[in-house]
Amino acid sequence: MKYYSLGLMTVFFFFLTAFTSEKEIKITVNTQGCEEGAVLSIMEFDGFNFTAFLSEPVKEGKTIFTLPETRPRVYYIGTTTSNMLPIILGSEENVQLTTVCASFRSAKVSGSPLNAGYTSLKNEIKTFKNSSRSMQRQLLMADGNAQEEEKAIFGMTQIDSQRLQLLDSLQRTQPFLGNVAELNTYLSYQLYGEGFPDELNYFVNMYFNYANWENSDYQYNPWVYEGTKAYAQTLSSVNIPDEQHALALNTLLSKIPKDSRTYKLAYGGVLAGLEGKKHDNFAVFAKSFVEEFKKKDPKTSAAVAKKMANVSQLMVGGTAPDFIQNTPEGKPLSLSGMRGKVVLIDFWASWCGPCRKENPNVVKVYEKYKDQGFDILSVSLDSNKDRWLSAIAKDKLTWAHVSDLKGWKNEVAQMYGISSIPATILLDKDGKIIARNLRGPALEAKLKQVFK
């Protein structure tokens, strides 16, 4: 799992008052290759920070932790936040880990049927999601063929039935795993969408249909974070007004008790999803979080405020960060040197098929608006200069080009958080971002509006 982490806190303490049992459980970690003086920690995650609350030194390749018995919850064991293993602890005695000190993520867990079941469940969740996507593609490709559509619907029916059977079984026999399944059970719109005007409306209302936000066990379940992150990411991938987008997210958060740890986990997931998609509402929700938590958690609030300031530069309304890279002739060219024009920053590469397919559209709008104050600065994620130059010539891209020839490690691409191409950022004459990721007709329509 990838987390929206704002850093590892180094304050060590015990949450003994949170435990309800005097009985203790033991966790034994057998390690190889640890440096002298190595320390292992048990950590918890609250949606923003990993907090180490129990640490023990490695002695002769072994570390033993003792915890009061509790209901199962997810902890993390390792040396750092980048070298740790999520593990379910609290109800089983004598759980053992065996690992190499430098690779906790690949640790083997024994003496824990619960963790074995958790691993199995994660695999089943992944299989369900992949199978559902496959059936959705099959239905789309059927294109009106009744027989093929029937096959796809039959497949969806089987998958949804298996999901519900698994959910029911786990809720009865393994409540913790049932909680995980509740947060990952989303049924097909084609089978269960009756009564909803469209699939988006169904998604907004039914994505967490089986979640019980009042369940106190959710407070230590990182799938709350993962689920709300995925929800925010999907919602941010749909072209809907910001107001409608914000309403859906606020409606979700309003269902979770504000005084619960679950709420903070969910909020962290929402912000992570918005940041990952660079959605304009990130600033809106980050500001709300800061206001809401500035007294309850001033350190996290300050960190979110700082991130909000940095991310806001890359969102609509922010001033695009300046940069300098070399042209094909080896001459430095700065973005700020193009002020006074409406500029499209175009991230692409010679090896990117969708980029090359889009280039004729970019050429078309450039020729149409270049005499009205429109310009383009293409940033290439190439690593081979000859291929870069060849693509420029072949596609007749007659505007400015820069690259550091570092491929995906291009410094400008990293500065702008580019994770896929083609990607575009449209700037006004003052260098402020007025739109992102416009292509084809959408780009032409926006330029028509700008130069009306």
Side-chain angles (χ1 to χ4, degrees):
M1 297 180 188
K2 184 178 180 181
Y3 297 100
Y4 181 73
S5 173
L6 299 176
L8 174 63
M9 298 177 68
T10 56
V11 179
F12 296 91
F13 58 95
F14 294 92
F15 291 107
L16 295 181
T17 57
F19 299 110
T20 58
S21 172
E22 294 182 359
K23 184 178 178 181
E24 290 186 333
I25 61 170
K26 184 170 69 172
I27 304 97
T28 303
V29 185
N30 301 295
T31 55
Q32 296 180 353
C34 291
E35 296 180 359
E36 186 176 349
V39 174
L40 304 186
S41 297
I42 294 183
M43 296 169 266
E44 287 182 331
F45 178 65
D46 66 359
F48 295 87
N49 304 301
F50 288 94
T51 303
F53 72 92
L54 183 60
S55 295
E56 296 288 348
V58 178
K59 296 181 179 179
E60 298 180 355
K62 181 177 291 187
T63 307
I64 297 176
F65 295 97
T66 56
L67 290 172
E69 183 180 40
T70 65
R71 294 177 64 83
R73 63 177 62 172
V74 176
Y75 294 92
Y76 300 83
I77 294 182
T79 56
T80 65
T81 56
S82 60
N83 182 34
M84 62 184 182
L85 175 77
I87 184 171
I88 304 167
L89 299 173
S91 62
E92 297 175 311
E93 297 183 29
N94 299 320
V95 177
Q96 296 199 29
L97 275 73
T98 303
T99 186
V100 175
C101 210
S103 184
F104 263 81
R105 290 184 179 181
S106 58
K108 293 183 179 181
V109 182
S110 57
S112 174
L114 186 55
N115 278 282
Y118 181 53
T119 299
S120 177
L121 176 58
K122 287 190 292 184
N123 290 334
E124 288 184 278
I125 290 171
K126 183 177 180 180
T127 298
F128 283 144
K129 289 182 178 179
N130 290 340
S131 298
S132 292
R133 292 191 191 103
S134 178
M135 290 299 105
Q136 293 286 348
R137 287 194 298 269
Q138 186 174 326
L139 183 63
L140 185 64
M141 292 173 65
D143 195 26
N145 184 311
Q147 187 175 3
E148 292 301 316
E149 287 182 353
E150 186 177 346
K151 288 181 181 179
I153 294 297
F154 178 73
M156 291 179 184
T157 303
Q158 286 188 311
I159 295 166
D160 286 345
S161 176
Q162 291 168 5
R163 276 179 161 165
L164 291 174
Q165 289 175 13
L166 178 64
L167 174 62
D168 178 67
S169 173
L170 292 176
Q171 286 176 325
R172 287 185 289 103
T173 62
Q174 289 279 12
F176 175 86
L177 300 183
N179 294 342
V180 175
E182 289 167 2
L183 293 162
N184 284 279
T185 300
Y186 176 64
L187 304 179
S188 305
Y189 165 70
Q190 288 77 8
L191 298 176
Y192 293 88
E194 186 177 355
F196 293 91
D198 51 49
E199 189 168 0
L200 175 61
N201 197 277
Y202 174 78
F203 171 83
V204 168
N205 287 278
M206 303 300 288
Y207 189 80
F208 290 111
N209 184 49
Y210 295 94
N212 175 13
W213 298 116
E214 302 286 341
N215 187 341
S216 60
D217 286 344
Y218 277 20
Q219 298 191 87
Y220 294 91
N221 192 330
W223 285 99
V224 169
Y225 170 92
E226 291 294 334
T228 53
K229 178 182 176 182
Y231 179 83
Q233 285 179 325
T234 302
L235 202 62
S236 300
S237 300
V238 182
N239 187 22
I240 59 175
D242 288 355
E243 294 78 9
Q244 182 182 357
H245 178 273
L247 176 61
L249 293 174
N250 278 320
T251 300
L252 168 63
L253 290 172
S254 70
K255 296 177 181 179
I256 307 172
K258 280 197 171 185
D259 59 350
S260 69
R261 200 172 182 275
T262 306
Y263 181 74
K264 192 174 180 183
L265 271 172
Y267 217 131
V270 166
L271 288 178
L274 296 178
E275 183 189 4
K277 289 296 182 179
K278 298 177 181 60
H279 196 281
D280 292 345
N281 275 338
F282 172 81
V284 174
F285 281 85
K287 183 178 179 181
S288 295
F289 177 87
V290 171
E291 289 298 315
E292 191 171 340
F293 282 85
K294 60 184 177 182
K295 291 184 178 179
K296 293 184 285 187
D297 189 350
K299 288 186 178 180
T300 300
S301 296
V304 171
K306 182 178 179 180
K307 183 176 284 288
M308 178 176 64
N310 294 335
V311 172
S312 293
Q313 292 184 82
L314 302 176
M315 293 182 174
V316 173
T319 300
D322 193 20
F323 60 84
I324 300 174
Q325 278 198 348
N326 285 342
T327 65
E329 296 75 27
K331 296 181 179 180
L333 177 64
S334 69
L335 174 63
S336 58
M338 303 178 75
R339 289 281 174 84
K341 292 185 176 183
V342 173
V343 176
L344 181 75
I345 308 176
D346 180 24
F347 294 91
W348 75 299
S350 65
W351 45 260
C352 169
C355 303
R356 303 294 295 274
K357 186 176 180 180
E358 174 65 14
N359 278 343
N361 297 323
V362 183
V363 170
K364 177 184 175 182
V365 295
Y366 178 68
E367 292 299 328
K368 185 174 182 178
Y369 292 103
K370 67 179 182 179
D371 294 333
Q372 298 183 48
F374 175 59
D375 211 342
I376 299 174
L377 178 55
S378 283
V379 180
S380 171
L381 275 65
D382 276 284
S383 56
N384 185 299
K385 185 174 182 179
D386 290 338
R387 292 178 182 173
W388 175 37
L389 298 182
S390 176
I392 292 173
K394 186 174 182 179
D395 293 358
K396 299 179 181 180
L397 312 181
T398 58
W399 51 80
H401 294 266
V402 295
S403 181
D404 57 13
L405 297 175
K406 294 181 180 179
W408 277 110
K409 294 183 179 180
N410 181 286
E411 293 180 5
V412 178
Q414 292 189 337
M415 177 191 299
Y416 278 78
I418 301 301
S419 57
S420 63
I421 53 175
T424 60
I425 300 174
L426 186 64
L427 313 180
D428 67 11
K429 295 180 180 181
D430 298 318
K432 291 188 179 296
I433 298 173
I434 54 178
R436 299 179 62 95
N437 293 323
L438 297 177
R439 295 195 288 274
L443 174 59
E444 187 168 7
K446 186 64 178 181
L447 291 175
K448 183 178 181 180
Q449 178 187 353
V450 170
F451 292 108
K452 62 183 177 181

